[in-house]
Structure formats: C-alpha cells, structure tokens
Amino acid sequence: MKIVKFGGSSIADLDSITTVLSIIQKASQEEELAVVFSAFGGVTENLLKCAHLARQNDPSYQALLLDMEKRHLQLVKQLIPVQKQSSVLTYVKVRFNELEDLYHGIFLIKEFSPRTSDYVVSFGERISAFVLAEALKVAGLNARFVDARDLIRTNDRFGNAKVIFPTTNQLIYDYYSKNKGLLVITGFVASTDKGETTTLGRSGSDYTAAIFAAALKATSLEIWTDVSGVMTADPKLVYSAITIPQLSYSEAMELSHFGAKVVFPATMQPAMRRKVPVYIKNTFQPEAEGTLICETSENTKLIKGISSLSHISLLNVQGSGLVEVVGVSSRVFGTLARAQVNVVLISQASSEHSICIAIKSDDADLAREVLESEFHYEILAGEMDKVQIMPNMAVIAVVGENMKHHPGASGRLFQALGRNNINVSAIAQGSSELNISAVIKQSDLQKGLNALHEAFFLSDNKVLHVFLIGVGLIGKALIKMIQSQLAKLQEEYMLDIKIHGLANSRFMSFDEDGFDLSTVPVPAEKDLPMNLQVFLNTMNSMNFSNSVLVDCTASQEVADTYERVLESKVAIVTPNKKANSGPLEKYKVLKKLSGQRNIKFLYETNVAAGLPVINTLQDLILSGDKVIKIEGVLSGSMNYIFSELSKGAPFSEVVAQAKEKGYTEPDPRDDLSGMDVARKILILGREAEQELHFEDVSVQSMVPEDCAHLDSVDVFLEKLKDHDGHFKQLLAEADQKNEKLRFMAVLENGKATVGLKSVDSTHPFYSLVGSDNMILFTTERYHEFPMIIRGPGAGADVTAAGVFADIIRLGNYSR
Ligand SMILES: NC(=O)c1ccc[n+]([C@@H]2O[C@H](COP(=O)([O-])OP(=O)(O)OC[C@H]3O[C@@H](n4cnc5c(N)ncnc54)[C@H](O)[C@@H]3O)[C@@H](O)[C@H]2O)c1
Ligand SMILES: N[C@@H](CCO)C(=O)O
Ligand code: NA
C-alpha cells in the first residue's frame, strides 16, 4: 500500500488535474493506493478571505463565494460526463449553500472564531476529494471518498489540533479492513471526539498523508508538488541549484528548519517513526526522479544542502562580569524566553567574555530592552556593556550527516566565504555535526549561497563568471581562446569559465547559464541596447561568486566604473589603459581598493600586450628593488610602422597596414600622437612607485597638424598621404647615418620623454623588427646591465593571450 498526496498547486486547473488523474491511474496499476488531496489551488485562501470580509460586514464576500462555486461547478462539468454529473453537482451545490449560511451568520454576528474557521476551510478538501473521487470512478477505478474527519481524532485546539494517535490509528485500520478500494481522502481536516471539525495546521495535508502511511504501514509515501524535490539550495537565489536525490530524515528536518519550502518534515513525523520512505515528486515533471527521504540515505555527498534564514539580528552581550560567573547564560536565555523571543543561534567563545545570539530582527528591540533591564545593575556597575545589536544579518548553513567525523567541511565553508570577501560575524556548530551555521550580512547572502553551492556541489571545479565589455578585435580573440582552452582547463586545472554578459558600444546580451561559445556570440540588434549602468546592475544582480568584469574597450566611460565594480566585489581584468593612466589619485584609489578588499584588478596587457612587463615590474618592487630608469619601445604599431618604412612603402600605407594587422588602437592617431606610449610609460612609472602625472611626460606627436582633428579614421588615413614625403625624408636622414628610427619612451628622475629617435647599431633597440616591443629596466639590483624584456607587443592573439592569462590567474587566487 502506497499513500500519495497532491497539494493545491497540483490540482489548480483542468490541465493539472488531468495529469494528476493519469498519475494515479498509472500508479494504481502497480500497487494498492490511497490518495490524499488538498483543496483545489487557491480555494483555502478564498474561503478565509470570504470569512474575513463577512466578519468586517463587507457584503462583497458574496461575489467571491459565487465565483468559487462557479469554478467548482465548472470543474465538475469538465471532469465528469453529463449523464453522471447531476449527483456530483448537487453535492457541490449543497456544500456551497451550507457555506452561504455560514458566511451569512458571520456577517450578522461579525465574529469568526478558530472553531468556525476550521469548519469553513474544511469545505475545500471535502469538495475537492469528493469531486476527484467521482472523476476517478469515471476513469474506471474503484474509488471511495473518505472524509478524514471520521477517522482522524484530535484535541480541540482549533487551527492546529493535536492528533490522538491510538484512536486515530485504530479507526483508520478498522476502516481500511472493512472498505477495500482506492481510498480518496480529504487532507488537512480532522475532528474532536465530539464531532467538531478541526484542522492540522501548517502543511496539514502532508500530515494527513503521513498519518495514513503510518497507520496502514504503507510501503512508501509520495508527496506530489510543483517542484522536483528538495533542492541543494533555493533555486531563486542559486541558479545552479539541483535536486537532492536522497536525504535522511534528520537532514530533511535540519534543512526545513531553515525554511526549505518543499516539505515540512514535522508533518512527516508519523511516517518517519514507522520508517516509511517519503518521495517528493513533481506533478508537472512526473518522470523526474525527485527526492527520497528515508532513515539512512545512500547519498555520499559531504553536505546535502545549503540553507539560509533572512532578517536576522545579532545580539551581543559582553563584559567582564560574564567571565566565570555561573548563571549568566541562564539569565540571558530565561529573560529572552519570558519575552517570547525565539533564539535562532548561539555562540559563546571559551573566554566567556561575550555571548552572541541570533534572533529575528522583529524581536531585536524587545530583546535589547528586556536584557538591559535584567542586567540593569551589572551595566550600571560597568561589569557588562550595553547590549549591542547588529541588524540586517542572515544565517547561512550547510547541512549533511556526512560532515560528522569528516575533517575539512568547515574549512571549505570558511574558505569559500573568505575568498568571496564575505565576513563571518558568528559561527555555530553542534556536536551532532549535522549543520554548520555562519552569520553574515544580509547583503552578502546571495553571493554566499552561490559561493558555498559552488564549493560543495558543482563538481570540484572552480567557476569564473565573466562579463565582457568590448567584443572587438581583442574581445573576439579572447572568446575564441577561452572556447579552445576550456576542456583542458576543466580537466587539468579544475577551472571552468562561463561568460554571462557581453557588450559592445551598441548592444548587450546576457545568459545566466553562460553563453555557448562554439560560435563567437556578438551582441546584435536582436539583443538589448547597450546601457552601461544596466549592464553593471544586471551583472550585480546575477550575484555570482568569482565574477570578473573584462573590459576590452578603449573607453574612458567604462574605465570610470572600475571603482564601483571593485566595490561590488567583482574583479577586473583589462587591456584598457584609461583607468591607470588617468589622474594619479584615481589610480591610487583603485590600487588601494583592490588591495584592501582583496579583489583583483589585473592589467598585464596595459603595456606590451602579453609580454610579462607589469607582473615583472611588480615582482621587482615587491622584492624591494628600486627602479632607476625605464627605457622602452612600447608601441607595437609604431615599431611596425618605422621598421616597415625602411622597406620602401609610403608612410600612410604602412600605417593602414598596422591598423589592418590589429596593432593600432581603435583610432591609429592614438599611437601616432604618442599618447598610447605616454600612457604606458606613465603606468610603468606608477607601478615603479613614482608619483607620476601626465604633465611629467613630454610627448612628440607624429600626427601632422592638419590630420589631428579629422572626424573619421578613413579620412585621416587618406589625408596622411600628403605627408608621406616628410617621413621619407626622416628615414633618409637616418639611413645616411646608418641608423634606425625608433619611437621610444625614457623615464628617469621623475620625468618621461616620448618621441622618435634615431639609434645606431650599438643600441639595443636597433635590432627590433615587426611589432616588437622592448623594455629595459635599470634598477638598484639590475644596475650594471638592465633587465630586458622583448617580443611582439601588439596584435589580437598576443593581447588576448595576456588577458586570458590574467583571467586564469584570478582562478588561482579564488581557488
Ligand atoms: N590591439 C592590440 O594589440 C592591443 C594590445 C594591448 C591592449 N589593447 C587594448 O585593448 C582594447 C581593445 O582594443 P581592440 O583593438 O579590441 O579595439 P576594437 O575597437 O576592435 O574593440 C573595441 C570594442 O569595444 C566596444 N566599445 C567601445 N566603447 C564601448 C563602451 N563605452 N561600451 C561598450 N562597448 C564599447 C566596441 O564596440 C568594440 O566592440 C583597447 O583598450 C586597446 O588599447 C590592444
Ligand atoms: N596600439 C598598441 C596596442 C598595445 O597596447 C600598440 O601598438 O602597441
Ligand atoms: Na604586458
């Protein structure tokens, strides 16, 4: 014998009812069944609403009642063929007549007691079970309507009556022995021994099912609802939450304490006592496995689920008067109990100097008041501080029996929270080791849940959640690189990268699950118009742990948001130089923010693309070295242009080639003007701990005066042809001396110069070719001979590779 129960959401309309009927039909072919029904979806609420209207002397209850009656009659007509309808319609009409009388009474005397309330709501289950029993008969089943008021005996605590089990079990057993067939039982309702209708409180229909399962020693109990079982976390907050296949009774209890909404295991008690396995199934996905809750689960996961409680305040009672004084905690908790304040979590360290208590925020003021009055004299005498309250907190908890005697569970929990910059204000774990709870800020809750979910459930891979602004040359190359390396990263480095947001200057698009990267997903017309604020808000609202903003634009506007991004605990990786080469103060603010909050801000590709220049310089400085001089060819495009020039092509043509090859900035005048190099030497100087401002850099521009202010890049390239002669001349002069033209930067004594020089064959820059960069660091340690870094310093692939490496580096930090 199996007991199956369907809640209101499973029988809310004709479609769902039809599904339910076929589930029952199918199951009844396999095993003997008893079915428990709640009222049709929404009916209980409406029955109560009518009563409250009537009590307030508001006649509009009549219209609501009429609607309800119509809805029920309509369902009967849809479920039962015409020739068998009349008796069922009569049953429903009689019930509604009774209800009408009842409400009229309430309307007249303006009173609505718990006793009346129980009677009023009982109509919901009585009608639904009756109608559905008839529908099952029509489907050919030997269905028998059972009014549970005849079988479940309770005391007279209306609204939440206590079951008298010996009598109830006997009544159910006797009834079942005499009445074979498919029992169709009203959930939720019961009666006293005087025959007064009572109800069983929260999740009462589940309770009815469990009572029958226990009394009839059922082989299993199935609770059919609108979700596929108990999930590892609240799916509204954790998008990657999955169904827990198996849970023990105690784990289910522990999870539900935190309001896991699916089952309320207190109601499962009767079934648990008899060790009846409980299945949670989804009416709308009947094939889904669901969750099995049983005595000992075979689920070997370290933890089973993550749960939370919101709207918590932390109360701190502290002072020297607590140390080694017996009875203080008894007074604290006694006082709270007398004030009806429920204690959610307790923590006291062995120094005994303070007791920390989590309570519902609604109780916080009252709790402080009663405690300060209880300890009035201690506070006056300075033996105890005033009670401190931290509002807006939440409790986050991991639950699972396998944590017992298994080292590492708490380590993983705190590491995941710490890595995501989430501060833990209090901790509790009992010796049952079934639950570890931490109190954190309410505003960190969603991120914390996701961080823990990732740490405990999503294989053992760390996931980096990327939001990419700028899907141009570098952005596209980066996406391709991520796609091509993903499998290797997952398998060998336990690292997963998901892109959830993409934007260019015109459009943006999002994907909570991560974009499919098999073809580069470029935002387009079909997506959303780009709006930077909306982009960032959406990123924050997804609230992933390990999020990173990758800025592959050259945009000042985007760079201006970095501070806000870091503040929202999202890391930044960027080849965009605008932030670091702006006002010195801004640069410092970003560095400080990232350092103090331990949120990474990585920009290796700001200088010399993928060449390890910034990291190397940072290492030198960290190890105590001092930079004396920096010399560099820092522009891939400028080196290309002046190397190619010597092969004979006109200047304007090689500039166009450099752009074509992806070496130049989006506007090549940023390279030719020396601005790009000026930015780079400025950044290098700042990384070398020099207080460098833009005014400290003198720049020689290569952009002819009449080209500087042309609007379009194409027009500029055309106009540049007028100046080919000038550059040919410069080249000839250098050739004559057997020298080469190099566009370089030198930083020494707090001043930098950027410009074109002619170098002879003894100069290290003489041998550079193509898009090469070369950087010479003369430092206190590298004094006699400088440290030299050289290689291609511009281009889509070498830049994307540098950005990619920074992203992977984040993975290492966040592991
Ligand atoms: N090309 C290289 O070799 C190289 C090397 C190192 C660093 N960089 C840097 O990489 C960055 C990107 O260069 P690129 O060559 O890919 O440029 P690109 O012009 O090809 O791409 C820029 C992208 O950014 C988008 N964009 C611009 N402003 C935007 C805004 N406000 N909001 C949203 N999207 C915006 C554009 O639509 C485009 O998709 C630049 O900062 C550049 O300095 C380039
Ligand atoms: N336009 C830049 C790209 C690298 O920042 C260059 O030519 O070096
Ligand atoms: Na670099």
Side-chain angles (χ1 to χ4, degrees):
M1 150 77 79
K2 173 161 93 177
I3 311 290
V4 293
K5 178 256 163 178
F6 295 91
S9 63
S10 296
I11 47 171
D13 54 28
L14 184 64
D15 278 352
S16 53
I17 293 172
T18 313
T19 312
V20 164
L21 295 179
S22 70
I23 291 172
I24 296 172
Q25 246 181 321
K26 192 156 165 260
S28 68
Q29 284 156 14
E30 290 158 12
E31 199 176 349
E32 195 183 356
L33 287 191
V35 191
V36 176
F37 285 115
S38 297
F40 292 122
V43 167
T44 308
E45 294 74 16
N46 280 334
L47 287 168
L48 286 170
K49 200 168 161 195
C50 279
H52 291 300
L53 289 171
R55 187 187 51 186
Q56 289 156 9
N57 222 237
D58 181 343
S60 66
Y61 77 83
Q62 289 164 349
L64 187 54
L65 185 64
L66 203 63
D67 277 351
M68 264 197 282
E69 179 172 2
K70 275 194 196 139
R71 178 178 166 206
H72 280 86
L73 294 174
Q74 170 78 2
L75 275 174
V76 172
K77 288 178 189 155
Q78 287 165 325
L79 289 166
I80 316 248
V82 186
Q83 46 306 3
K84 299 188 178 165
Q85 265 172 20
S86 71
S87 65
V88 190
L89 289 173
T90 308
Y91 178 91
V92 173
K93 280 182 187 152
V94 171
R95 297 290 86 75
F96 273 93
N97 290 340
E98 289 169 9
L99 273 170
E100 203 181 331
D101 289 347
L102 261 168
Y103 287 132
H104 186 59
I106 298 168
F107 180 80
L108 291 177
I109 60 172
K110 301 195 193 83
E111 204 177 86
F112 183 51
S113 67
R115 179 192 307 256
T116 315
S117 173
D118 278 0
Y119 185 54
V120 164
V121 293
S122 76
F123 281 80
E125 274 74 8
R126 285 156 57 203
I127 303 177
S128 67
F130 183 87
V131 171
L132 293 171
E134 292 301 316
L136 286 163
K137 282 184 201 164
V138 170
L141 297 177
N142 180 19
R144 184 183 291 277
F145 168 64
V146 180
D147 187 337
R149 293 180 301 171
D150 297 335
L151 304 181
I152 300 181
R153 277 291 160 274
T154 67
N155 67 6
D156 62 359
R157 202 161 96 204
F158 296 99
N160 193 7
K162 217 170 138 39
V163 174
I164 302 161
F165 275 99
T167 324
T168 299
N169 287 340
Q170 193 62 48
L171 282 169
I172 292 176
Y173 183 78
D174 290 348
Y175 180 85
Y176 175 67
S177 324
K178 290 186 204 117
N179 299 279
K180 292 294 169 191
L182 170 66
L183 306 187
V184 179
I185 305 158
T186 56
F188 190 46
V189 297
S191 71
T192 65
D193 53 8
K194 294 198 200 87
E196 294 162 308
T197 299
T198 54
T199 60
L200 301 176
R202 180 177 162 188
S203 296
S205 294
D206 288 358
Y207 197 34
T208 306
I211 292 167
F212 273 83
L216 297 177
K217 301 195 176 69
T219 47
S220 66
L221 165 60
E222 286 179 4
I223 307 286
W224 289 78
T225 173
D226 56 355
V227 290
S228 294
V230 184
M231 313 275 287
T232 46
D234 183 346
K236 284 194 213 85
L237 298 175
V238 178
Y239 302 123
S240 51
I242 42 175
T243 299
I244 308 173
Q246 272 195 33
L247 277 173
S248 72
Y249 292 137
S250 4
E251 286 169 336
M253 287 289 216
E254 197 70 37
L255 275 176
S256 74
H257 169 71
F258 285 90
K261 319 292 178 293
V262 189
V263 268
F264 183 51
T267 61
M268 299 289 117
Q269 267 300 340
M272 291 181 196
R273 270 200 302 271
R274 296 273 175 129
K275 301 191 176 29
V276 179
V278 179
Y279 291 86
I280 312 295
K281 302 278 288 175
N282 187 347
T283 304
F284 304 95
Q285 272 182 307
E287 343 54 57
E289 282 292 321
T291 299
L292 164 60
I293 307 174
C294 55
E295 175 76 355
T296 41
S297 125
E298 285 167 16
N299 186 340
T300 55
K301 282 261 178 209
L302 183 59
I303 71 159
K304 301 298 166 19
I306 301 164
S307 209
S308 62
L309 274 179
S310 294
H311 311 299
I312 293 293
S313 290
L314 256 193
L315 244 145
N316 197 32
V317 181
Q318 70 172 34
S320 57
L322 268 68
V323 182
E324 286 191 26
V325 178
V326 175
V328 174
S329 51
S330 147
R331 279 172 66 199
V332 169
F333 294 113
T335 305
L336 292 176
R338 281 190 297 281
Q340 301 282 332
V341 173
N342 184 37
V343 172
V344 173
L345 171 151
I346 307 163
S347 154
Q348 185 198 295
S350 58
S351 73
E352 303 180 30
H353 187 257
S354 68
I355 304 175
C356 180
I357 302 159
I359 56 175
K360 294 238 168 71
S361 288
D362 287 346
D363 291 337
D365 289 336
L366 173 65
R368 180 187 359 222
E369 199 179 297
V370 294
L371 285 173
E372 288 187 348
S373 121
E374 169 72 25
F375 291 98
H376 182 69
Y377 291 106
E378 284 86 346
I379 293 174
L380 268 187
E383 289 165 12
M384 196 180 278
D385 301 343
K386 287 196 152 246
V387 175
Q388 299 158 353
I389 294 187
M390 288 167 79
N392 304 323
M393 308 299 281
V395 181
I396 192 164
V398 296
V399 170
E401 280 178 341
N402 296 341
M403 287 194 289
K404 204 176 174 80
H405 311 310
H406 189 119
S410 57
R412 216 192 277 193
L413 174 119
F414 295 118
Q415 193 177 42
L417 294 177
R419 289 236 194 260
N420 283 285
N421 237 286
I422 295 172
N423 187 47
V424 174
S425 301
I427 303 164
Q429 182 200 294
S431 62
S432 74
E433 298 184 40
L434 192 57
N435 167 329
I436 308 176
S437 298
V439 181
I440 62 175
K441 278 207 194 112
Q442 175 77 39
S443 55
D444 283 334
L445 180 60
Q446 188 171 12
K447 181 181 245 192
L449 286 169
N450 279 284
L452 295 185
H453 198 259
E454 215 157 76
F456 285 97
F457 288 108
L458 299 186
S459 68
D460 284 324
N461 283 10
K462 171 72 41 201
V463 187
L464 289 178
H465 302 280
V466 171
F467 293 80
L468 172 62
I469 307 189
V471 191
L473 185 76
I474 309 297
K476 283 184 191 140
L478 175 69
I479 294 174
K480 284 186 197 148
M481 206 169 279
I482 291 175
Q483 159 71 5
S484 78
Q485 294 309 104
L486 211 51
K488 190 180 171 73
L489 286 175
Q490 288 166 343
E491 279 158 34
E492 294 175 30
Y493 296 89
M494 319 280 272
L495 186 68
D496 207 352
I497 300 179
K498 291 188 174 180
I499 303 184
H500 298 281
L502 286 170
N504 52 33
S505 40
R506 296 178 59 209
F507 304 105
M508 60 181 186
S509 58
F510 299 95
D511 191 330
E512 261 159 26
D513 299 323
F515 287 100
D516 170 12
L517 303 181
S518 49
T519 53
V520 175
V522 181
E525 208 91 46
K526 64 176 176 10
D527 302 309
L528 304 164
M530 173 55 176
N531 177 316
L532 189 54
Q533 299 311 318
V534 176
F535 187 91
L536 298 179
N537 291 342
T538 310
M539 174 178 84
N540 288 334
S541 68
M542 287 196 192
N543 226 319
F544 289 113
S545 59
N546 298 322
S547 289
V548 50
L549 177 77
V550 180
D551 170 15
C552 284
T553 71
S555 152
Q556 182 66 50
E557 190 198 357
V558 179
D560 285 341
T561 67
Y562 290 179
E563 196 177 329
R564 173 183 157 197
V565 171
L566 292 175
E567 264 166 1
S568 64
K569 298 175 185 170
V570 173
I572 298 173
V573 168
T574 185
N576 181 358
K577 306 161 197 97
K578 294 281 159 55
N580 286 331
S581 59
L584 179 62
E585 271 318 306
K586 282 213 158 172
Y587 166 84
K588 284 189 177 170
V589 165
L590 292 177
K591 294 291 279 185
K592 191 166 164 198
L593 199 60
S594 128
Q596 282 177 343
R597 307 265 179 101
N598 194 24
I599 303 293
K600 297 295 168 194
F601 170 38
L602 303 179
Y603 43 84
E604 175 55 73
T605 47
N606 271 196
V607 178
L611 294 184
V613 174
I614 305 264
N615 283 310
T616 306
L617 182 53
Q618 287 175 344
D619 287 348
L620 287 175
I621 299 297
L622 258 182
S623 62
D625 206 349
K626 296 259 176 331
V627 171
I628 297 166
K629 183 177 181 184
I630 301 175
E631 298 152 278
V633 166
L634 300 175
S635 169
S637 50
M638 294 296 260
N639 196 64
Y640 177 85
I641 290 165
F642 288 102
S643 312
E644 287 299 305
L645 201 56
S646 60
K647 295 182 184 163
F651 186 76
S652 60
E653 199 169 292
V654 291
V655 171
Q657 276 172 23
K659 175 161 171 51
E660 190 66 24
K661 287 182 179 290
Y663 299 152
T664 67
E665 289 304 291
D667 185 336
R669 280 170 293 186
D670 287 335
D671 300 286
L672 288 171
S673 65
M675 282 308 289
D676 179 70
V677 174
R679 290 183 185 284
K680 287 168 177 166
I681 195 71
L682 194 62
I683 294 170
L684 289 180
R686 288 173 176 179
E687 291 297 316
E689 294 188 321
Q690 301 190 6
E691 301 264 309
L692 218 55
H693 299 272
F694 215 90
E695 304 79 70
D696 301 322
V697 187
S698 70
V699 188
Q700 180 196 8
S701 171
M702 296 286 110
V703 181
E705 188 56 35
D706 60 357
C707 293
H709 305 293
L710 299 173
D711 278 348
S712 103
V713 172
D714 291 337
V715 176
F716 154 69
L717 287 172
E718 193 55 37
K719 184 81 185 159
L720 196 56
K721 288 182 180 158
D722 299 349
H723 301 275
D724 284 343
H726 167 67
F727 288 99
K728 200 169 175 180
Q729 177 67 28
L730 287 180
L731 182 69
E733 286 164 18
D735 272 348
Q736 220 164 37
K737 293 185 271 178
N738 247 337
E739 290 185 345
K740 293 202 165 158
L741 292 175
R742 294 292 176 246
F743 195 80
M744 61 170 86
V746 180
L747 169 64
E748 201 173 12
N749 299 325
K751 294 283 173 214
T753 53
V754 171
L756 192 67
K757 298 254 162 58
S758 180
V759 299
D760 67 23
S761 60
T762 62
H763 196 284
F765 295 161
Y766 185 86
S767 65
L768 296 181
V769 292
S771 64
D772 272 356
N773 279 194
M774 187 183 235
I775 296 97
L776 278 59
F777 290 123
T778 306
T779 70
E780 285 181 356
R781 246 178 243 148
Y782 293 85
H783 191 71
E784 201 174 342
F785 302 106
M787 175 189 274
I788 302 178
I789 301 168
R790 172 190 171 161
D797 284 345
V798 294
T799 308
V803 177
F804 182 78
D806 273 348
I807 296 176
I808 303 300
R809 211 161 278 139
L810 280 182
N812 293 336
Y813 291 128
S814 62
R815 195 172 288 275

